[in-house]
Amino acid sequence: MRYCSRCTMPETAETLGFDEQGVCSVCRQIEVKHDQIDWEQRGRDLDGLLEQYRGKYDYDCIVPFSGGKDSAFTLWYLIKVKKLKCLVVRFDHGFMRPTVEENCHKALRKLGADIVKFTPNWQVVRKLMYEALKRRGDFCWHCHTGIFAFPMWEALRQQVPLVFWGEPSSEYSSFYGYNDVEEHDERRFNRIVNLGINAEDMLGMLDNSVSEYPVSLRDLKPFTFPPTRDLRKLGVRSVFLGHFIPWDVRKQVDIIKQELDWQGDQVEGVPPEYDYEKIECFVQGVRDYIKWLKRGFGRTTHVTSIDIRNNRMDRATAEKLVAEYDGKRPAALDLFLDILGIDEQHFMDLIEPHVVAPHVMPSCESCQSNCNTDVPWDYAHWKKSVDMGKLPEDA
């Protein structure tokens, strides 16, 4: 396996390329962020954009909000620094953890914002999770599409034509670089978000492998991108705050901890010092574990690479943490298997066709002998929240 000569990312990472010096494309993008972007001009661009919308609609903008670090900082920045009236839009993917819900409660009460929340049909979600795992080795299709589509529908319903996301994708991948103008439109939705499967495709794929709920296209509307003609008619702009201000996750976490009493949490497969990373979902450890099975790296590789790029960690320290935390079988896998009603070998068989060479997926037996023993404190709560392993007729 080939690795970046600067960070610890391997060649199996999606969109990653290497230059003649062996440095990966994301490391080069971060160089652009640090050395080439005129952030003062980008700040003036942001102010100019805001003045086009401020005070002209029921809300100045929509902020899609999970309660994690990025959306919490974005909402804080737009309300407290830019003095905007924001509408908060939440898509509940079905796996929200207690700490993030408490963070939401504290942040929204303190900042003051109206909230629209949507939670999709759980039986539809289960079927989508299974089919996405089977087709793409990624069970989060409903989460990706719902999070990025529902706020756009809400922009049309509420007639609010400005939507603010937080972190730009150039912090993690090379779909877009810092010199690109990344906006969340239908092109980006199809390029990054929906795994190459639109709702019509998905409907044709679904069967009764998990749940006999009769899914129709109406059930899948929350996972579709609104018609571009309708968005253009309203004049919708869907932008990333990280395009206008230099994104620095550690500094931003310090701000929201101080300003919003935002609390971090434990995530399986991630060192405790990264208590801010992906705390929203109680099967996050399973998602990261699948990435390791398919591509040979997990979330610790990602977060330590970010610290290397920002000169906060040396490579040797990162490699030690990666060896300690990436690739351990998460406790949440047992719950995940219950939700879908499958056994572990079936799970491994679904992932195996999606392994990216030269990585070789380990056997089920070897994975079962390498378990994460540091089970999150709220694990028992998750089981109480999703007692849905049985088919509807058996429940």
Side-chain angles (χ1 to χ4, degrees), residues 45-57:
D45 293 343
L46 174 61
D47 290 338
L49 175 69
L50 298 183
E51 293 314 310
Q52 296 177 35
Y53 297 90
R54 190 189 298 274
K56 297 178 180 175
Y57 304 90

Side-chain angles (χ1 to χ4, degrees), residues 102-103 106 110 255-263:
E102 179 63 19
N103 283 339
K106 289 186 292 188
K110 187 164 187 174
I255 290 171
I256 58 176
K257 284 184 174 179
Q258 179 176 344
E259 297 290 329
L260 303 176
D261 191 25
W262 189 91
Q263 301 295 315

Side-chain angles (χ1 to χ4, degrees), residues 39 46 50 70 73-78 82 163-168 182 239-247 252:
W39 290 108
L46 174 61
L50 298 183
D70 298 320
F73 173 77
T74 300
L75 188 67
W76 172 82
Y77 186 86
L78 293 175
K82 296 301 180 183
V163 181
F164 260 102
W165 310 86
E167 185 181 55
E182 180 180 9
V239 300
F240 291 80
L241 183 59
H243 176 75
F244 298 99
I245 66 172
W247 205 253
Q252 292 162 193

